[in-house]
Amino acid sequence: MIAKEEYPEETFWFKFTPEGKLLIERRNVWMNCAETTLEASVTQDGEKLAIKEEEVFPDDRYMACECSKYAAYETDVVVGNDSLTVELYTSTSAITRTAVFKIPGHGSGEIVIDDTEVSYGK
């Protein structure tokens, strides 16, 4: 078994700002070791956030290994809801996953992706 320190958990960290921004960090996301980026789009429909993340390969370069990476982005949100349901669609390292979880509509926090309702696609 691999120790937790050697295999950090994939997390979704968030923070709401007074200006109406939602800051998001994706920590310990397994992505290709090439110089890839994570492109994200966020839409809000009432109390639901739909986040779509896709790993983008520069110049179609691909390496035969995976690395743990961090990615960060921000979006405008309508604040004031008690809680928001997040539907996270992420496509990294040739795996598409959907995670569904709730976050408070204010403040900050961190969600461990493996502790959420996760489904896998191709």
Side-chain angles (χ1 to χ4, degrees):
M1 182 170 186
I2 299 173
K4 193 173 191 178
E5 295 79 32
E6 296 175 46
Y7 189 78
E9 296 176 302
E10 179 182 356
T11 61
F12 178 95
W13 176 89
F14 63 92
K15 178 180 180 181
F16 290 90
T17 69
E19 298 81 27
K21 297 276 186 195
L22 173 59
L23 309 178
I24 297 170
E25 284 185 19
R26 297 283 284 112
R27 298 173 175 175
N28 303 313
V29 179
W30 286 97
M31 296 171 60
N32 192 274
C33 290
E35 293 295 318
T36 61
T37 58
L38 191 66
E39 289 188 357
S41 65
V42 182
T43 57
Q44 182 176 6
D45 183 11
E47 296 179 5
K48 182 174 90 173
L49 293 178
I51 301 173
K52 295 183 180 178
E53 299 176 340
E54 184 173 352
E55 185 174 16
V56 177
F57 296 85
D59 303 324
D60 294 327
R61 284 181 277 160
Y62 185 84
M63 296 181 75
C65 63
E66 291 182 333
C67 299
S68 177
K69 298 182 180 182
Y70 280 35
Y73 50 92
E74 68 178 40
T75 187
D76 294 316
V77 293
V78 178
V79 294
N81 298 318
D82 287 339
S83 70
L84 297 168
T85 298
V86 176
E87 293 180 359
L88 175 65
Y89 305 93
T90 185
S91 182
T92 58
S93 296
I95 297 174
T96 300
R97 295 173 302 148
T98 303
V100 179
F101 50 90
K102 286 192 176 287
I103 63 173
H106 49 78
S108 64
E110 191 165 21
I111 305 293
V112 176
I113 296 298
D114 288 343
D115 291 343
T116 68
E117 175 188 325
V118 178
S119 61
Y120 294 87
K122 48 179 169 166

